[in-house]
Amino acid sequence: REPTVRVVTVSHPPPLRYISVSKGGQITVWNSSLHILKTVGRRFRGWTTDAVYMDNVRKVAIATDCRDLHFVDVSTAGVFEDVHLFFRSVPTALCYWHDEQCPERSPPLLLLGDEKGGVHLMWFLNPSKGLFKNPSKKQNGPHRIFFPDLGEHSNMVSYRHIPNIHQEPINRVMFEPSTNVIMTSSESDTTSVAFVNVTVKREPYIWKISQGAKCFDYNASLQLMVTGGCDRAVRLWTRFVTTRPVATLPGHRATILDVAIYQPVGQIFSYSRDAELRVWDISSHHCLKTVRLQFPCLQPGRISEHGNFPFLLLSPPLPEDAQPHLVVGCKDYLALLNLAEHANSSVSLWDVETGRRRLQILNAHGEAELLCMALDSSHRRLITGARNGTVWNLLNGLNLHKLEPVTNSEVTRLTCLHDNKLLAVGWSQRIIQYDIADLYVRADLSWKSSGVHKSDILVVCQCSALGVVATASHDGEVILLFLQHRAGDRKLRNRGVLVSSQAGCLSFWSITGQTHTYQFYAPEQPGVRVLSLSSDQSKNTILVSGDTTGWLQIWDMSHYALDIQHKSVCERPALLQCWKAHKRGLVSVEVLEEADRLLVLTASADGSAGLWTKDGDHVGSFGQEVMWNITDAAAYQ
């Protein structure tokens, strides 16, 4: 249960894998879906301070607070310690560089920042034969090398020490090979970030930041540095101006633990101790998105323990079949976030009967990511939500109304009531009502929702037959679905009419009469979450669920959760169909009744959307060149 200090990627030999090192020295190998392949228990004395992957020699260097440096071989299926170097000081931050294009041009370099504010440099002169000279006689276990004896390995490794760069322990170290510059940071007010040339003949660049820097990242092509720390502000700096930042980005409510520049789409990621991830636009300095990562170890009112280096950003150039993504660590949990291309905030209207696109609205919310949509009761107007709401005419794509934003926070869900009434929920933690019949749509705050939810409201769902609305926030269930046919039937409305999902567990709730629940775990594999739910609302005979692995399940609901129970019942309904609909998570599923048959619409995090029969026949993917005819079953069975 120790926090993960560092996660590294291993791409050779394929496939892509991750290796995480815990504070106590446990090494875990994961596949690309974050399923554990191998775990090697604690082998080192002391606590891990940092780890780095040396990809050209297939080793992981692991530093500890007992002045040890362990070189672990990961070239084969086994994981074993190759060399144990007893160092002269405590290494607190590591960095490794080698020339991938022309290895013979420059020897690989391992940089170690230490607890005294200095940097140690080790050039490996003959890496193809090994990092150090082979021992003269056979040793049990790893090759042990004591620092005073490092001179005996001078034909294999060259060593230098640059002392007193900082007055505090170094917490980050980077290397810029084109300029031969070492970049380090610390929590010192007077030497927060330092850029020092390897030759030490040029005057260093020193940035002074109040309360120092806990983390930084640098991009050479943009000449941009980003810092974060205890004062909870993200700062952008240019390469040669140390006196003032280009921009200061407030918003975090806890210490910033890590930052990363994602150049392909011009964005910055920042992560704070309260498990909040923010996405910033480099050009406009606006916060594009805030993600509250709901790690299972988080407890209300308590700050969870983190390792020193929560981020692993995998960006182009990428290994074969790899997608850009960000891995974030919190205690002994890892979160994997796939990085999409730059959001263009577009809406497309498709004909289900043929797969033809009828209408496209570009830049519906400018550069802001479009987060949710809802149709009004007439199905002639579409309401979209980002940081504000907009009403569109679906006949011609004209913008009809703008909804007055309550706060500059994201709208996560919309639902339309009768009489042109619209409800919006989101990070404001309140229910906002609008009357979309008005020309300028003002926010109505008459719902007494303030303080009901203690976290962001992620979903809202209405049941017109019962006259109720259900909301769910980030600190509880995040999907809700009302079974409308049951709710409208006098005999069934006090049975299980509301379905909620927390992680992969589906629960059926009675909200009138005697409260009872049925629940079952829907995905086929452990550790998978249900992202989307739908049902045939005219009869509620089936329930469709989609999960994070792209699998879709169809369940028999005709008799499920209809008996009154005095305690929770854990049993699965009959599984009618199950298939993998997309490569990545199913963010939306919807049951359609078209041409006297049931169809299932799916939309995935991979950007694709498809149409299926309830038996799993693929009708087609929206956007494909060949149109389909929904009435001609022979064409797609």
Side-chain angles (χ1 to χ4, degrees):
R1 308 299 292 178
E2 299 158 345
T4 298
V5 173
R6 175 80 86 167
V7 182
V8 299
T9 53
V10 179
S11 56
H12 297 290
L16 177 75
R17 305 178 304 286
Y18 304 101
I19 294 179
S20 64
V21 184
S22 76
K23 185 178 178 181
Q26 177 175 295
I27 301 171
T28 306
V29 184
W30 313 72
N31 66 10
S32 58
S33 301
L34 288 188
H35 291 131
I36 294 177
L37 300 176
K38 187 180 185 65
T39 298
V40 180
R42 178 172 180 166
R43 292 186 172 185
F44 316 129
R45 59 178 184 164
W47 300 112
T48 304
T49 56
D50 197 6
V52 67
Y53 180 55
M54 307 167 71
D55 52 347
N56 65 321
V57 293
R58 312 289 190 264
K59 298 185 192 299
V60 176
I62 301 173
T64 76
D65 61 1
C66 288
R67 302 183 180 182
D68 293 332
L69 192 62
H70 304 271
F71 294 88
V72 178
D73 193 300
V74 294
S75 60
T76 62
V79 175
F80 62 92
E81 185 180 0
D82 194 27
V83 177
H84 180 179
L85 176 62
F86 296 85
F87 208 58
R88 62 184 291 186
S89 58
V90 176
T92 52
L94 304 179
C95 174
Y96 184 74
W97 172 84
H98 71 101
D99 194 330
E100 295 185 43
Q101 305 299 325
C102 189
E104 63 276 3
R105 182 168 49 194
S106 303
L109 172 62
L110 177 65
L111 302 99
L112 305 93
D114 69 17
E115 93 281 16
K116 298 178 181 177
V119 172
H120 308 260
L121 300 95
M122 300 174 69
W123 287 271
F124 298 102
L125 308 178
N126 202 345
S128 61
K129 293 187 177 180
L131 301 180
F132 303 93
K133 187 177 72 172
N134 290 327
S136 55
K137 51 185 174 179
K138 191 172 173 115
Q139 299 179 359
N140 290 326
H143 181 195
R144 294 177 180 85
I145 301 173
F146 294 90
F147 184 80
D149 302 329
L150 199 60
E152 299 176 6
H153 302 260
S154 58
N155 63 330
M156 300 294 288
V157 61
S158 175
Y159 169 80
R160 271 191 58 203
H161 178 218
I162 305 175
N164 304 322
I165 297 176
H166 297 269
Q167 282 73 51
E168 298 283 343
I170 290 175
N171 52 36
R172 292 287 191 282
V173 58
M174 294 180 67
F175 180 64
E176 173 47 50
S178 62
T179 55
N180 236 17
V181 167
I182 304 165
M183 298 165 281
T184 55
S185 66
S186 76
E187 293 186 61
S188 166
D189 288 344
T190 55
T191 53
S192 306
V193 181
F195 281 23
V196 180
N197 194 276
V198 171
T199 63
V200 202
K201 293 180 180 178
R202 300 176 187 172
E203 196 68 23
Y205 286 86
I206 305 293
W207 283 263
K208 300 178 181 180
I209 306 170
S210 176
Q211 302 182 58
K214 205 161 187 65
C215 54
F216 81 95
D217 193 19
Y218 176 73
N219 185 281
S221 61
L222 298 177
Q223 297 279 288
L224 175 69
M225 180 177 71
V226 180
T227 61
C230 295
D231 67 351
R232 302 175 291 183
V234 176
R235 290 183 174 86
L236 281 61
W237 309 80
T238 57
R239 168 69 173 82
F240 300 105
V241 179
T242 63
T243 52
R244 64 182 183 275
V246 174
T248 300
L249 313 179
H252 279 289
R253 294 166 291 185
T255 298
I256 297 171
L257 300 180
D258 220 340
V259 292
I261 300 170
Y262 185 46
Q263 186 185 350
V265 293
Q267 293 175 353
I268 294 166
F269 303 129
S270 60
Y271 178 74
S272 53
R273 197 182 293 277
D274 56 356
E276 181 179 272
L277 173 71
R278 286 184 174 248
V279 183
W280 310 85
D281 182 76
I282 291 177
S283 301
S284 67
H285 306 153
H286 290 156
C287 180
L288 302 176
K289 191 175 185 66
T290 303
V291 181
R292 310 271 172 80
L293 298 179
Q294 198 69 8
F295 290 102
C297 57
L298 296 179
Q299 298 180 15
R302 297 184 62 182
I303 298 295
S304 190
E305 189 177 3
H306 287 80
N308 299 336
F309 310 91
F311 271 178
L312 168 65
L313 175 62
L314 192 66
S315 60
L318 296 165
E320 188 177 350
D321 296 330
Q323 298 291 328
H325 59 262
L326 179 69
V327 176
V328 185
C330 176
K331 204 171 180 183
D332 58 336
Y333 287 92
L334 298 179
L336 177 66
L337 294 92
N338 292 298
L339 304 179
E341 297 300 320
H342 193 72
N344 62 2
S345 195
S346 66
V347 178
S348 293
L349 179 66
W350 302 87
D351 188 336
V352 173
E353 294 185 352
T354 62
R356 188 185 308 278
R357 179 156 55 191
R358 291 295 183 89
L359 178 68
Q360 186 175 30
I361 303 171
L362 298 176
N363 300 314
H365 291 267
E367 293 185 354
E369 182 182 6
L370 196 153
L371 297 172
C372 54
M373 300 186 294
L375 292 167
D376 72 345
S377 55
S378 70
H379 286 196
R380 294 178 181 174
R381 290 177 295 182
L382 176 74
I383 301 93
T384 58
R387 286 185 179 269
N388 60 358
T390 304
V391 183
W392 306 87
N393 186 325
L394 278 184
L395 296 178
N396 52 26
L398 291 179
N399 184 340
L400 299 177
H401 309 296
K402 291 275 190 182
L403 307 184
E404 178 190 22
V406 175
T407 60
N408 188 30
S409 59
E410 295 188 2
V411 178
T412 56
R413 282 295 187 276
L414 300 163
T415 187
C416 282
L417 309 178
H418 55 84
D419 298 332
N420 290 312
K421 296 295 189 295
L422 169 74
L423 299 183
V425 298
W427 293 353
S428 66
Q429 301 177 14
R430 303 183 65 174
I431 299 175
I432 315 299
Q433 181 172 299
Y434 297 94
D435 188 339
I436 55 177
D438 298 334
L439 186 61
Y440 180 71
V441 186
R442 295 190 176 277
D444 179 353
L445 303 179
S446 59
W447 284 68
K448 295 179 173 60
S449 57
S450 180
V452 173
H453 285 284
K454 301 297 188 291
S455 186
D456 304 337
I457 303 176
L458 296 188
V459 76
V460 60
C461 189
Q462 62 147 328
C463 180
S464 55
L466 297 178
V468 296
V469 170
T471 57
S473 61
H474 200 284
D475 51 8
E477 287 85 359
V478 293
I479 305 172
L480 291 167
L481 175 74
F482 274 112
L483 302 177
Q484 304 288 355
H485 170 73
R486 290 189 182 184
D489 190 314
R490 290 181 176 273
K491 296 179 180 179
L492 302 177
R493 62 172 49 181
N494 62 346
R495 305 300 203 269
V497 297
L498 176 64
V499 188
S500 68
S501 168
Q502 186 174 25
C505 186
L506 302 186
S507 298
F508 289 70
W509 304 87
S510 167
I511 60 173
T512 62
Q514 186 174 358
T515 302
H516 67 283
T517 61
Y518 282 72
Q519 59 186 23
F520 66 95
Y521 183 77
E524 296 297 313
Q525 299 176 350
V528 177
R529 291 184 297 121
V530 171
L531 296 178
S532 49
L533 295 170
S534 185
S535 177
D536 57 327
Q537 293 292 15
S538 64
K539 296 179 181 178
N540 292 146
T541 58
I542 62 171
L543 177 72
V544 179
S545 60
D547 64 33
T548 49
T549 62
W551 279 82
L552 180 144
Q553 297 91 14
I554 299 183
W555 308 91
D556 184 355
M557 287 291 106
S558 52
H559 302 289
Y560 188 78
L562 293 181
D563 296 328
I564 295 178
Q565 302 289 339
H566 297 288
K567 60 181 181 179
S568 181
V569 177
C570 297
E571 62 179 33
R572 265 188 165 201
L575 180 62
L576 301 177
Q577 294 289 343
C578 180
W579 71 86
K580 190 172 179 65
H582 295 269
K583 292 181 179 179
R584 287 168 57 187
L586 294 182
V587 295
S588 180
V589 294
E590 188 163 344
V591 178
L592 310 176
E593 299 182 44
E594 293 285 338
D596 297 325
R597 70 185 68 197
L598 289 181
L599 301 168
V600 180
L601 171 69
T602 59
S604 169
D606 62 18
S608 62
L611 189 66
W612 312 77
T613 70
K614 67 178 179 63
D615 298 317
D617 295 319
H618 189 209
V619 178
S621 296
F622 293 95
Q624 68 183 36
E625 292 185 10
V626 180
M627 298 297 102
W628 61 74
N629 181 354
I630 204 170
T631 60
D632 183 12
Y636 50 80
Q637 274 186 338

